[in-house]
Amino acid sequence: MVAEMLSQEEINALLGGVTTDDDTVGSELKQNVSETKSGAVTLSVDEIDALGEIGNISMGTAATTLFTLLNHKVLITTPKVESMTWDEFVESITDDLTAVSVDYTEGFIGSNLMILKDQDVKVIADLMMGGTGAYVEGPVTELHLSAIAESMNQMIGSSSTSMAQIFNKKIDISPPQAIKMDTDLESIFGPKGDLVKIAFRLQIEENIIDSELMQILPLQFAKDLIAGLLAQEETNAQQVQPAQQATVQQPQVASPAPAPAPADTVSQAMPVYSEPVQPMNHQPMMQHTSGYARQESSIRPDVDVQTPQFQSFDSAPKVYPKENMDILMDVSLEVSVELGRASRKIKEILEFGPGSIIELNRLVGEPVDVLVNGKFIATGEVVVIDENFGIRITDIINPENRI
């Protein structure tokens, strides 16, 4: 049997050409070539949009957390999603990169790698320690790694909280670990496989940082996130649909006017007032006080009226434990008596001399102040005891204020 020969147009179509009459076949061939040229399993447009939505929400919360840590406005925007093979990822690694590994342990199971430039790591570490964010030449130290690990711990922790709201389930993460990119990455991601890179633009005000923050996920983990988001959106749509149907207004059907009720029924339904009922075609009398009449008729004679009892907020006297006061009983305090006061200008004070008289602001016989360590506690009157002045206490202030 002789095999059927292929035409030139069919050969061009198989080789990726577009010279066939069937435009649909040509477009599909071009799409397949563009999707498989990198060798990675590609993501559909809907899957890319889903990962971008998750990244926008989670990193928006992370930016707020980073702002709290650095005391500088932080913007994390413009996620770019693309798939790559393991070899492409390894080739993209340079010596000036630092990564923070965080694993999802509950809700979703998977690895998560956040990658920054060494310069950004040093600047963020300096800001966390109260610096100005100045970049200093030199290698990344353990102090820098510890600082960036803590910042990423706070950021991914807040983003996982946002993700928990998106997926409506608890999501937990493991403690982050800052590493250099020369580490064996297979120990983080497991067997070599396709990955998904989500690149964000990281900006800190005053042009301190304007760089890129990369998030690397295993392809299967990314697929799990996408499936979870689509399932949750479908669940939300199912919950909203019955509610929308319930709110649809039914056509209004005119109901017949109710028949007039019997006179007895009307008299029972209407409240009885003590005022006379005026005919509809007459104006009410000037002395009509229906408001007062209604109030009087609405008062129930069996109501128990009482005067409200309010709690007293007067400060109760403080009782000090005797064992505590005994410790202070032997402490000496200085007791002084103030006869009065006066104010004078510096010029007048400089003119003081023997015989000068200073008039005080108190009258003769007026009580004087008794002070203990400079604090006023009582008043008294001046007396003489064996040629010595003394004070007889006449009034003591509130005992609570004496200590």
Side-chain angles (χ1 to χ4, degrees):
M1 182 176 62
V2 179
E4 183 179 357
M5 300 295 293
L6 296 175
S7 66
Q8 185 62 40
E9 293 178 350
E10 293 173 335
I11 294 174
N12 292 338
L14 290 175
L15 295 177
V18 291
T19 58
T20 61
D21 294 335
D22 190 356
D23 294 336
T24 303
V25 174
S27 62
E28 291 177 354
L29 288 173
K30 287 203 308 181
Q31 182 179 2
N32 292 335
V33 170
S34 63
E35 288 181 351
T36 59
K37 64 182 179 180
S38 66
V41 178
T42 56
L43 299 172
S44 66
V45 175
D46 293 339
E47 291 175 332
I48 291 176
D49 291 342
L51 287 177
E53 181 181 354
I54 296 173
N56 268 329
I57 297 176
S58 60
M59 283 302 167
T61 308
T64 304
T65 303
L66 190 59
F67 162 73
T68 305
L69 292 175
L70 306 182
N71 198 24
H72 284 73
K73 185 178 180 180
V74 178
L75 295 177
I76 302 179
T77 57
T78 319
K80 296 180 181 179
V81 182
E82 62 176 322
S83 60
M84 60 173 57
T85 63
W86 180 271
D87 293 335
E88 289 174 341
F89 172 60
V90 173
E91 290 176 0
S92 65
I93 296 174
T94 57
D95 296 336
D96 62 340
L97 297 177
T98 298
V100 178
S101 173
V102 181
D103 292 337
Y104 286 85
T105 59
E106 186 174 353
F108 291 99
I109 305 299
S111 301
N112 180 34
L113 199 66
M114 309 297 297
I115 302 177
L116 302 92
K117 294 182 178 179
D118 290 349
Q119 179 177 349
D120 301 336
V121 171
K122 294 178 183 178
V123 171
I124 292 176
D126 184 69
L127 290 173
M128 289 183 65
M129 292 183 290
T132 59
Y135 171 70
V136 179
E137 293 287 347
V140 175
T141 64
E142 290 295 331
L143 179 62
H144 296 140
L145 295 178
S146 177
I148 197 65
E150 177 59 26
S151 64
M152 286 298 167
N153 183 31
Q154 299 291 335
M155 291 173 61
I156 302 300
S158 61
S159 69
S160 63
T161 302
S162 299
M163 291 175 61
Q165 297 177 353
I166 297 175
F167 298 105
N168 194 23
K169 62 180 178 180
K170 182 180 179 181
I171 297 179
D172 200 1
I173 60 173
S174 65
Q177 180 182 4
I179 58 175
K180 288 297 295 178
M181 293 303 295
D182 55 2
T183 307
D184 182 14
L185 297 178
E186 287 191 55
S187 62
I188 299 174
F189 290 113
K192 299 178 181 179
D194 292 336
L195 304 171
V196 174
K197 181 179 78 171
I198 308 176
F200 301 89
R201 185 181 179 185
L202 173 62
Q203 294 176 284
I204 299 180
E205 67 176 3
E206 301 174 3
N207 293 325
I208 297 177
I209 289 181
D210 189 353
S211 184
E212 186 179 60
L213 171 65
M214 292 180 289
Q215 183 180 17
I216 308 296
L217 305 172
L219 180 62
Q220 185 57 49
F221 182 33
K223 294 277 189 179
D224 293 342
L225 293 177
I226 295 170
L229 178 63
L230 297 179
Q232 186 61 34
E233 289 180 348
E234 183 178 356
T235 302
N236 295 339
Q238 293 175 355
Q239 294 175 351
V240 172
Q241 186 175 3
Q244 292 178 347
Q245 294 177 354
T247 56
V248 176
Q249 295 183 356
Q250 300 295 332
Q252 299 293 334
V253 180
S255 57
D264 295 341
T265 304
V266 174
S267 61
Q268 293 177 2
M270 294 294 292
V272 179
Y273 302 115
S274 60
E275 62 188 27
V277 179
Q278 299 291 337
M280 296 298 295
N281 57 350
H282 289 79
Q283 295 183 354
M285 296 181 294
M286 296 298 295
Q287 67 273 17
H288 178 59
T289 56
S290 59
Y292 295 103
R294 292 174 183 174
Q295 293 179 5
E296 293 176 358
S297 62
S298 62
I299 295 178
R300 295 170 51 191
D302 58 343
V303 174
D304 185 13
V305 180
Q306 298 180 357
T307 303
Q309 301 294 330
F310 298 103
Q311 180 181 359
S312 175
F313 289 94
D314 294 338
S315 57
K318 297 181 181 179
V319 179
Y320 299 95
K322 186 177 184 302
E323 58 272 13
N324 293 339
M325 293 297 297
D326 290 341
I327 302 175
L328 305 176
M329 290 302 179
D330 294 333
V331 177
S332 299
L333 300 177
E334 180 181 356
V335 180
S336 58
V337 177
E338 185 178 285
L339 296 177
R341 296 188 179 188
S343 61
R344 294 291 183 269
K345 297 180 180 179
I346 296 178
K347 178 181 178 180
E348 297 174 343
I349 294 175
L350 294 176
E351 294 176 354
F352 283 171
S356 299
I357 298 176
I358 302 174
E359 183 179 357
L360 303 179
N361 60 350
R362 281 211 173 106
L363 300 176
V364 176
E366 189 174 353
V368 295
D369 297 337
V370 179
L371 300 92
V372 176
N373 278 10
K375 183 168 183 175
F376 171 65
I377 68 164
T379 58
E381 58 182 3
V382 180
V383 296
V384 178
I385 305 175
D386 295 336
E387 300 181 356
N388 292 327
F389 284 112
I391 300 296
R392 179 187 291 119
I393 302 297
T394 57
D395 188 20
I396 298 179
I397 64 172
N398 193 334
E400 297 179 10
N401 300 326
R402 279 192 252 164
I403 302 299

